[in-house]
Amino acid sequence: MIDATVLVIDDDDDILLSARLFLKQHFDQVVTCKSPKEINVLLSKNEVDIILLDMNYQKGASDGREGLYWLEHILSIDKDYVVILMTAYGNVELAVQAIKKGATDFILKPWENEKLFATLSSASRLRQSNKKVKKLEKIHSSLQKDINRQFENIVGSSEPIRQLQHTLIKVAPTDANVLILGENGTGKQVFAYELHRLSNRRNQIFMHVDLGSLNENLFESELFGYAKGAFTDAKDDKPGRFEMAEGGTIFLDEIGNLSLPLQAKLLSILQNRTVTRLGESKERKINVRLITATNMPLNEMVAKGTFRQDLLFRINTVELELPGLARRGEDILLLAGHFLSSFGTKYHKGLLKLDAKAEDTLLKYHWPGNVRELQHVIERAVIMADGHEISHADLQLSPQKFGNSSPVQIDIPLEEMEKLMVQKAIDKHKGNISRAAADLGLTRAALYRRIEKFDL
């Protein structure tokens, strides 16, 4: 049985009956109608794969003009429709004209069942190919922002970064599942993309999925897709992110945010290497490389029973732990220079540099928001700068943002310093989480996680 829907349009009831009886033995669904004027309605109600279209409808007509007209009409709706024209009047010139106008094939009535089946089978394969191309076009469109986003190569020469780069070179060419650990803003997405870029899947899709921003009710439909009619707004079939990433890499960010029921569903997908769309029972095989990331302590969560140990085993064949920016001090000015060049070009400011006091300020700051915070600080400074030199004032890092007016105490443990900064920001803004998060260069969700982590 071929998984396709065939629409047969002919004004002869006997032809329609004959087509229906024969084709329903071989195709998933067969729809018939007597008038091409019903085409718009039928195409809007059914996901049609192949259209078998008669060329003559008016009594006594044999020139095929009606068929050519409706062929053009169908292809104006969707150029990827597969249309096979049929007529009782053999005419080579007419067949050539039909093919030129976009028909896939041309058959004569009465047909031989074997020939009709062979023609439609070939048409079905063509339709599937067209759908795959269309799917890739949709993926390209939906991922355009991601694709156009400038993924920066890893910048840094500190010892922690050199060790990570060494590990990347070993791990990237394999299909091993990788778990990337690190605080918010440390560059987990950049490292995930580098793994993809250095892999054998580099020419395929890199699919980034932020699980932290996914509503739990949308988890299955977004990741696994859905069939038409699966729920109220499901007007068309839609592939999920795993299907879209076929042959490439899927990066599940913030995996620590998944509830236990969703963890179980994800584990099933990873074990079976298949997905089932909502509203369907058919399993679809997937071939993707999995990379996950979180800033949450998964091992502690396993001990507390809030994260499945079997899922952790599944996703962390290799673990990469990214250091906070405070632990890679020698990279701060390298990164700042990198961002200056990038934003100088973006905002048409030309070549920019930091003055001595600005460099000193960057080196003394503790960077609770890590590389992402540095990126935002430099972008803002580039926008605010009047000349080609970035000053201390352009950075807008006030003494309060250092915890006090003096340089950061290096003998304070980093985690204790972070706790202190979070508490100060919350106190400063009288419990307003949005303002405190903005002051720290964090998202609300990231700040809530730190509040929970430090039991504030």
Side-chain angles (χ1 to χ4, degrees):
M1 184 69 70
I2 297 174
D3 182 15
T5 298
V6 182
L7 170 61
V8 185
I9 307 170
D10 197 296
D11 58 350
D12 188 326
D13 288 325
D14 292 336
I15 292 291
L16 295 181
L17 178 61
S18 176
R20 187 186 304 112
L21 291 174
F22 174 65
L23 295 177
K24 73 178 183 179
Q25 301 174 51
H26 304 285
F27 292 87
D28 241 10
Q29 186 177 0
V30 179
V31 180
T32 60
C33 79
K34 291 189 65 173
S35 171
K37 293 178 181 178
E38 298 177 42
I39 283 175
N40 285 13
V41 174
L42 290 169
L43 293 181
S44 66
K45 288 184 176 180
N46 302 276
E47 187 179 351
V48 174
D49 296 296
I50 307 165
I51 300 170
L52 199 55
L53 178 69
D54 188 28
M55 296 200 70
N56 299 291
Y57 295 91
Q58 292 184 19
K59 192 173 182 179
S62 61
D63 57 12
R65 283 184 299 177
E66 289 176 285
L68 294 177
Y69 168 81
W70 288 110
L71 168 66
E72 289 186 279
H73 177 76
I74 291 167
L75 296 180
S76 71
I77 297 172
D78 187 340
K79 63 181 177 60
D80 292 322
Y81 275 127
V82 174
V83 184
I84 298 172
L85 296 175
M86 55 182 179
T87 182
Y89 307 96
N91 184 319
V92 174
E93 186 179 338
L94 184 60
V96 171
Q97 193 176 356
I99 299 300
K100 283 183 177 179
K101 287 185 176 292
T104 301
D105 211 333
F106 189 99
I107 63 172
L108 295 176
K109 297 186 291 186
W111 58 72
E112 295 177 7
N113 283 346
E114 292 79 5
K115 185 174 181 180
L116 177 63
F117 176 69
T119 301
L120 294 187
S121 296
S122 176
S124 176
R125 289 192 293 272
L126 175 63
R127 174 62 173 170
Q128 291 306 313
S129 175
N130 287 346
K131 285 171 77 172
K132 187 175 289 187
V133 170
K134 200 167 186 178
K135 172 184 166 184
L136 290 173
E137 288 174 351
K138 285 183 178 179
I139 292 170
H140 174 78
S141 177
S142 67
L143 296 178
Q144 194 62 50
K145 290 182 181 178
D146 281 345
I147 293 170
N148 287 340
R149 183 175 57 247
Q150 185 178 10
F151 285 103
E152 310 291 355
N153 289 331
I154 297 167
V155 176
S157 59
S158 62
E159 182 59 26
I161 293 302
R162 285 203 300 269
Q163 289 179 5
L164 284 167
Q165 289 172 328
H166 183 64
T167 303
L168 279 178
I169 292 170
K170 289 182 177 180
V171 175
T174 73
D175 268 348
N177 294 338
V178 179
L179 171 62
I180 304 176
L181 303 172
E183 299 174 358
N184 273 353
T186 49
K188 295 188 287 293
Q189 185 176 343
V190 173
F191 275 82
Y193 184 75
E194 280 297 289
L195 279 166
H196 172 73
R197 191 180 67 83
L198 296 172
S199 76
N200 297 326
R201 298 172 182 263
R202 68 181 68 88
N203 295 323
Q204 303 301 320
I205 287 168
F206 175 79
M207 173 70 70
H208 175 211
V209 184
D210 184 358
L211 298 178
S213 66
L214 265 188
N215 183 300
E216 188 158 335
N217 296 327
L218 299 176
F219 176 85
E220 287 187 80
S221 61
E222 280 295 316
L223 261 65
F224 312 144
Y226 53 81
K228 182 179 179 180
F231 48 86
T232 305
D233 293 326
K235 296 178 181 177
D236 294 293
D237 287 351
K238 181 185 176 184
R241 301 295 185 93
F242 274 96
E243 283 185 73
M244 289 182 180
E246 179 66 20
T249 303
I250 188 164
F251 173 46
L252 303 182
D253 203 356
E254 302 288 2
I255 195 167
N257 289 334
L258 285 186
S259 65
L260 285 170
L262 296 184
Q263 290 176 35
K265 289 176 182 176
L266 178 59
L267 179 62
S268 174
I269 298 301
L270 299 180
Q271 287 175 334
N272 300 324
R273 310 298 291 180
T274 60
V275 294
T276 302
R277 293 181 184 179
L278 285 176
E280 279 188 352
S281 57
K282 178 169 66 176
E283 291 185 340
R284 300 168 185 266
K285 291 183 179 179
I286 54 169
N287 171 25
V288 297
R289 201 261 180 94
L290 176 71
I291 302 174
T292 54
T294 184
N295 65 348
M296 300 176 77
L298 295 188
N299 285 306
E300 292 178 24
M301 293 171 68
V302 167
K304 292 177 182 177
T306 56
F307 198 87
R308 294 179 63 116
Q309 187 175 53
D310 47 3
L311 178 58
L312 180 57
F313 288 155
R314 178 69 61 174
I315 65 177
N316 74 338
T317 306
V318 177
E319 274 188 18
L320 299 178
E321 186 162 0
L322 307 190
L325 187 54
R327 286 175 51 202
R328 35 183 304 211
E330 61 195 274
D331 292 336
I332 291 173
L333 294 184
L334 277 175
L335 285 161
H338 177 71
F339 293 137
L340 276 177
S341 175
S342 176
F343 291 122
T345 300
K346 179 178 179 180
Y347 295 111
H348 310 291
K349 291 290 187 85
L351 293 174
L352 298 167
K353 67 176 184 176
L354 298 162
D355 68 19
K357 189 175 181 182
E359 287 186 351
D360 189 54
T361 299
L362 294 179
L363 290 172
K364 287 180 176 177
Y365 186 55
H366 58 283
W367 301 109
N370 296 299
V371 178
R372 185 181 299 138
E373 183 183 7
L374 174 60
Q375 181 180 7
H376 291 165
V377 166
I378 297 298
E379 182 174 16
R380 182 174 60 222
V382 169
I383 293 170
M384 300 305 295
D386 292 322
H388 292 286
E389 194 168 65
I390 303 295
S391 70
H392 162 79
D394 293 326
L395 297 175
Q396 296 182 24
L397 288 173
S398 62
Q400 289 79 11
K401 290 191 175 184
F402 290 83
N404 53 52
S405 58
S406 59
V408 177
Q409 299 293 316
I410 61 173
D411 58 338
I412 301 175
L414 180 61
E415 191 166 296
E416 191 63 34
M417 185 183 297
E418 184 180 10
K419 179 179 179 180
L420 176 65
M421 291 302 301
V422 170
Q423 185 64 67
K424 281 184 173 290
I426 293 171
D427 293 343
K428 175 184 174 183
H429 294 288
K430 299 177 180 179
N432 187 310
I433 298 299
S434 295
R435 291 179 182 176
D439 206 11
L440 291 168
L442 302 173
T443 64
R444 281 169 53 90
L447 181 53
Y448 274 122
R449 284 194 289 273
R450 280 168 170 77
I451 290 170
E452 184 178 357
K453 175 183 175 183
F454 297 129
D455 196 23
L456 297 176

